[in-house]
Amino acid sequence: MPASYAYLGPEGTFTEVALRTLPETATRELLPMVSVPAALDAVRAGEAEAAFVPIENSVEGGITTTLDELVAGEPLMIYREVLLSIAFALLVRPGTRLEDVKTVTAHPAAQPQVRNWMKAHLPDALWESAASNADGARLVQEGRYDAAFAGEFAAARYGLVPLETGIHDAENAQTRFVLVGRPARPAAPTGADKTSVVIWQRDDHPGGLRDLLGEFAVRGVNLMLLQSRPTGEGIGNYCFAIDAEGHISDRRVAETLMGLKRSCLKVRYLGSYPRADASFKAARESLPGTSDPEFVEAAEWVVRCQDGRFPG
C-alpha cells in the first residue's frame, strides 16, 4: 500500500489544512483529488493508504457526498477525525473592487455559511458551485468567475488577493473531517471515542425508528448524529447514518450493535475512533447499569442461573 493520503483538492483547500494537522502527514505523500468520490476510490483501488475528506459542518450538517459514498460504496472505515474552525475570505484578482463582483463560486457546502453575507454585500451576484473552495480560487485565477469564497491561505497559491476576510454567517463554525481507510481492526479505545454505523430497517412500520433508537437508549449509549439518506429504492426508503459515543470494545456499544444486527435488515460498521472535540470529558459518568463491569456481572449472573448456582 503506498504511503500516501488522498484528499479533496486541489492544493489550498480547508481539507488540506485540516489534514496537515495530523503528525503522520510528515511521512506521507499527499495526493490532491478532484472530488470526494475520487479520493475514496483511490483507497479502494489501492492507490492510496487513506483518504481525508469532509463529512459534516456545524451549519448545514452532514456532507451528503461523503455520507453517500460511505453508505453505498465498497466498504471503508473511519480511523480519525479532525475539527477545523472555518472562516472564509472573498478572493479576487488584483484590482477587483467589491462592486465589480458579479459572479462568485465555492464548494456547495460553503454557500449556507456565507449566504447572509452575500445577501448584505453582493445581493445581485450570481453563485455557481465549484468542486472545492480551492478549485473555485483556481477558476477565478483563470478568469471564469470574479470571486471565490475560500480560505485566506489560498490567495497566494492562486495569485489572488483577499478582498474581504473573516466571512461567516455563524460564529464558531466548524467542519469535521475524517481519515478513511480500508476495513481493518479499529484502533484501541481511548476513553473518548465515537462509533459510526449505517442501519437499514427491515420494513416500514409505526415506531420502527423508535425501536432502533431504543437499542442505544436502553444501554445508555448517547447519539451524536442521526441523519437519514435515501436508499435509491424509491420515495420513502431511507437508511440512517448514526454517530454514537463510545468504542466497539465497550460492552454497551458492542451489545447495541448486536441488537441492531439482530433487528435490522443491514448494518454497516464505519469504525470506532478517537473524538476530536477536546471539550469532551472522557470520564463522563455513565448511566446506572451501563458500565462494562455491570455488563460483565450481569452476564456472569445469567451463567450462574443456567448452572443452578446462586440465582439470587
Side-chain angles (χ1 to χ4, degrees), residues 3-311:
S4 59
Y5 285 172
Y7 69 94
L8 175 61
E11 294 178 357
T13 58
F14 286 110
T15 306
E16 182 189 9
V17 171
L19 173 58
R20 290 187 181 277
T21 67
L22 299 179
E24 64 266 32
T25 57
T27 61
R28 301 295 195 278
E29 180 185 6
L30 304 186
L31 306 175
M33 309 300 287
V34 297
S35 66
V36 167
L40 297 177
D41 284 344
V43 179
R44 294 182 174 118
E47 297 167 357
E49 177 185 354
F52 193 77
V53 293
I55 195 170
E56 180 186 3
N57 70 64
S58 60
V59 175
E60 194 73 354
I63 307 296
T64 56
T65 300
T66 302
L67 286 171
D68 290 347
E69 276 291 314
L70 294 178
V71 166
E74 181 184 336
L76 295 170
M77 267 180 61
I78 300 171
Y79 289 93
R80 298 278 294 278
E81 69 173 8
V82 172
L83 294 177
L84 184 70
S85 296
I86 301 293
F88 293 91
L90 187 69
L91 304 186
V92 299
R93 293 181 294 278
T96 302
R97 301 168 301 170
L98 192 62
E99 55 266 32
D100 299 327
V101 176
K102 306 302 180 185
T103 57
V104 297
T105 187
H107 188 273
Q111 189 173 21
Q113 303 180 63
V114 300
R115 185 182 292 123
N116 291 335
W117 189 94
M118 277 194 65
K119 187 183 300 183
H121 298 89
L122 294 170
D124 299 321
L126 175 67
W127 170 285
E128 289 196 28
S129 294
S132 68
N133 298 316
D135 192 55
R138 180 185 63 80
L139 294 173
V140 172
Q141 180 189 42
E142 294 176 355
R144 298 270 298 277
Y145 300 98
D146 298 325
F149 288 104
E152 185 176 356
F153 47 80
R157 172 67 179 80
Y158 293 98
L160 305 176
V161 295
L163 189 59
E164 300 280 349
T165 60
I167 300 171
H168 50 72
D169 288 350
E171 293 289 339
N172 304 315
Q174 290 184 310
T175 295
R176 175 178 162 234
F177 301 84
V178 289
L179 185 69
V180 180
R182 297 187 67 83
R185 182 182 294 274
T190 66
D193 301 292
K194 179 183 293 185
T195 291
S196 297
V197 295
V198 184
I199 57 178
W200 286 257
Q201 294 176 282
R202 288 191 183 278
D203 55 44
D204 184 19
H205 63 273
L209 180 58
R210 179 203 61 192
D211 295 341
L212 298 181
L213 299 182
E215 298 285 354
F216 295 90
V218 298
R219 297 175 178 88
V221 178
N222 189 44
L223 297 188
M224 305 174 64
L225 178 144
L226 171 62
Q227 180 162 334
S228 61
R229 296 301 304 151
T231 63
E233 298 176 358
I235 295 294
N237 289 302
Y238 291 90
C239 59
F240 299 93
I242 292 175
D243 290 345
E245 286 183 359
H247 193 279
I248 193 172
S249 65
D250 298 335
R251 291 292 292 266
R252 66 182 183 277
V253 175
E255 293 207 11
T256 297
L257 296 182
M258 286 190 286
L260 292 171
K261 183 63 177 175
R262 291 195 308 269
S263 60
C264 294
L265 176 66
K266 180 181 175 183
V267 179
R268 175 171 284 195
Y269 174 66
L270 295 181
S272 297
Y273 46 94
R275 289 182 57 162
D277 46 338
S279 63
F280 176 71
K281 298 187 186 320
R284 184 175 66 83
E285 186 176 347
S286 59
L287 294 175
T290 64
S291 67
D292 273 13
E294 288 167 311
F295 272 101
V296 171
E297 181 183 2
E300 291 175 346
W301 176 81
V302 170
V303 171
R304 291 199 304 271
C305 291
Q306 292 170 335
D307 291 344
R309 298 180 292 111
F310 310 110

